Amino acid sequence: MSKVFEMDHPLIQHKLSLLRSVETSSKDFRELTEEIAMLMGYEVTRDLPLEEVEVQTPICAMKAKMIAGKKLGIVPVLRAGLGMVEGFLRLVPTARVGHIGVYRDPETFKPVEYYCKLPADIGERELIVLDPMLATGGSAAAAIDFIKERGGKNIKMVCMIAAPEGIKAVQEAHPDVDIFVGCIDECLNDHAYIVPGLGDAGDRLFGTK
Ligand code: PRP
Ligand code: URA
């Protein structure tokens, strides 16, 4: 079974609380999403391997540590995952970015897939799937299916807020994928929204409601 890491860093918790507030504007929502993504990215990349390289300082030569040749790919789930991309790219500017389009059917809550464009060499990359919300888990599981069908193997899932139901669904569908989450909330409501959650992440990011 995959591991679940709930990130209790005070900065992540503080910014998540601001993000949740119904008073937060789309502009602030976007900025907070990017900041939280960057803080989460710091933790998610903790196990990247290092190698020693020769560096000449103004004083002398030394063996310094740099990230080894591991290639990263980040894969936002459209639309809301887009809000997390810049935060990750600020940390790892050389990462390639794939996109997967999935939305939830409002009646059935089942994922509907509409777009997929991934780096050609995904089989050689460590892949980080980004979506702020993990509710039923249907969208995340479908996105990871997409990636695996195209050869992706080494995958992590990063979401800001998750329902226990969504975590269970992704773990059952993809027991090899570790999940990094800012906060695990209480449950889903009758519309499959996370409670207390933050409402509809895509609409709040892009001001579409
Ligand atoms: C939201 C969210 C996830 C999905 C989570 O996207 O960004 O992708 O719902 O729900 P699930 O775990 O039950 O599948 P949405 O369908 O609202 O699409 P959007 O980002 O385009 O608004
Ligand atoms: N999608 C969202 O954006 N929010 C939820 O709470 C559930 C699905």
Side-chain angles (χ1 to χ4, degrees):
M1 190 54 84
S2 66
K3 296 194 204 74
V4 179
F5 300 94
E6 191 173 6
M7 295 176 185
D8 56 0
H9 193 289
L11 284 173
I12 296 180
Q13 295 308 311
H14 178 85
K15 288 174 191 292
L16 272 178
S17 301
L18 295 173
L19 193 74
R20 289 178 188 274
S21 168
V22 71
E23 310 287 345
T24 298
S25 66
S26 277
K27 174 182 174 290
D28 290 345
F29 195 94
R30 281 194 293 274
E31 287 175 7
L32 286 163
T33 299
E34 187 179 321
E35 290 168 5
I36 294 166
M38 187 156 63
L39 292 167
M40 294 185 82
Y42 178 76
E43 285 298 330
V44 174
T45 51
R46 182 175 282 284
D47 62 355
L48 284 179
L50 291 169
E51 63 184 359
E52 283 197 341
V53 295
E54 190 83 22
V55 169
Q56 178 72 45
T57 78
I59 309 297
C60 64
M62 69 170 288
K63 295 245 186 267
K65 291 189 173 60
M66 292 191 90
I67 306 259
K70 188 103 184 174
K71 296 168 162 183
L72 273 190
I74 56 177
V75 185
V77 179
L78 308 181
R79 286 177 301 166
L82 288 175
M84 299 175 74
V85 171
E86 205 46 49
F88 268 75
L89 283 181
R90 289 241 217 126
L91 293 179
V92 193
T94 56
R96 298 291 161 89
V97 185
H99 294 88
I100 294 182
V102 180
Y103 71 88
R104 280 194 337 178
D105 182 292
E107 305 296 327
T108 65
F109 312 132
K110 298 277 180 232
V112 181
E113 299 143 7
Y114 62 90
Y115 188 74
C116 183
K117 183 79 180 172
L118 298 171
D121 57 352
I122 53 166
E124 296 157 34
R125 290 182 182 271
E126 178 167 327
L127 300 165
I128 303 175
V129 180
L130 304 177
D131 194 331
M133 310 303 278
L134 184 62
T136 65
S139 304
I144 297 167
D145 279 340
F146 257 155
I147 293 171
K148 288 185 175 173
E149 281 161 18
R150 286 159 178 79
K153 292 187 278 285
N154 186 355
I155 304 167
K156 290 173 177 167
M157 175 79 213
V158 180
C159 52
M160 298 194 308
I161 297 180
E165 295 90 328
I167 291 176
K168 185 164 175 282
V170 172
Q171 284 189 306
E172 283 172 4
H174 298 290
D176 56 317
V177 175
D178 288 343
I179 302 171
F180 295 77
V181 54
C183 188
I184 303 174
D185 274 11
E186 287 163 27
C187 59
L188 297 176
N189 68 15
D190 292 345
H191 303 283
Y193 272 83
I194 300 173
V195 179
L198 51 70
D200 189 303
D203 283 338
R204 295 198 62 187
L205 263 175
F206 298 112
T208 42
K209 216 167 211 173

